[in-house]
Amino acid sequence: MAKQGSLGLGSFPSTRLRRNRVDDFSRRLISENVLSAHDFIWPIFVIDGDNKREAVSSMPGVDRLSIDMMIDAVGEAADLDIPAVAVFPSTDLALKTPGAEESFNPENLVCRAVRALKKNHPDMGIVCDVALDPFNSDGHDGLVKDGVILNDETVEVLCKQSIVQAQAGCDIIAPSDMMDGRIGVIRKALDDKGFTSVRIMSYAAKYASAFYGPFRDAVGSGVALHGDKKTYQMDPANSDEALRETALDIAEGADMVMVKPGMPYLDIVSRIKETFGVPTFAYQVSGEYAMLKAAAENGWLDNDKVILESLMAFKRAGADGILTYLAPEAARLLNGE
Ligand code: PBG
């Protein structure tokens, strides 16, 4: 049969693509992607203290919570069928050192939070970031010597950090540091300690992005940070390099890979998913959240519609899941609440 039309799929007027869009029922039947609460990982910020809740000014609607308050919030997330949360500590400035020793203190805030969460919500998946920036007086993800971010020395500390987090009950270790070779070394360290079922979600393609600004306010890593993270995080101009980063992380034992930021990097999500076919995640980061909320608060965008559209975009690009501060709000909307 002769091909008709540019795609060989018919042509106007026998083919009218609007026909399937006429009614809600047929729009639902032909929809190619589905967004659900099962797609979400909810990042949460934890602070020391009791009964404490502090608003993050650059992220309207997001609070830093003390462990007791966090347990309640995570209970609500569990009721909404959200499978996992990612715990980020806002560490006291006094605990930050050049060696980032607090990162592998089994009694540090994140470990205490993970233990409390596992005790109260054993079925909730717990993700922990692995990087030194919350604990490092230099604000960098790695150890710094004479202005240089050390790679192999940092990886040793990341292993110790991973172990204390796994001991606390973390299910998914998520290295966000972008040091070379860290996935393989962390995998071996976990296996050697018997944590063979602890998963690794690598921040495989993490870009040196200005969209992390509000997060650095939330965890207080921005104050300490001098300079930028361009010697370890990726150049936003690069795409093939993201495939190499991802290939290495998979070869080293990553169970899941992640792209970060999210919406400005959907092309990367799509290429990674198509190339490797592995569980692929995207992080809708703090700056993306701030943009959406700022516009919605001003009445410039319809909050409910735009957040669901922004999340559906990740599914369309091929993401299996999304780390998003919008998780509970979006889950409620999807439930029709
Ligand atoms: C730390 C880390 C960052 C984010 C997640 N883990 C910040 C950074 O790399 O400076 C950003 C998350 C967000 O912006 O929501 N390594």
Side-chain angles (χ1 to χ4, degrees), residues 87-101:
V87 187
F88 291 95
S90 174
T91 308
D92 196 336
L93 215 64
L95 294 171
K96 300 189 188 200
T97 55
E101 282 85 359

Side-chain angles (χ1 to χ4, degrees), residues 46-69:
V46 60
I47 44 171
D48 253 316
D50 279 317
N51 198 25
K52 265 173 73 179
R53 173 187 290 275
E54 288 173 7
V56 179
S57 58
S58 49
M59 300 178 74
V62 171
D63 298 322
R64 302 180 195 92
L65 301 174
S66 55
I67 293 178
D68 52 333
M69 305 273 286

Side-chain angles (χ1 to χ4, degrees), residues 9 76 150 222 226:
L9 292 169
E76 285 169 35
L150 304 175
H226 299 295

Side-chain angles (χ1 to χ4, degrees), residues 129 133 141 176 206 212 215-216 229 233 260 286 325:
D129 215 63
D133 53 325
D141 293 19
S176 73
K206 177 171 178 181
Y212 309 147
F215 172 96
R216 293 179 189 167
K229 300 191 176 183
Q233 298 180 349
K260 177 177 173 204
S286 56
Y325 302 97

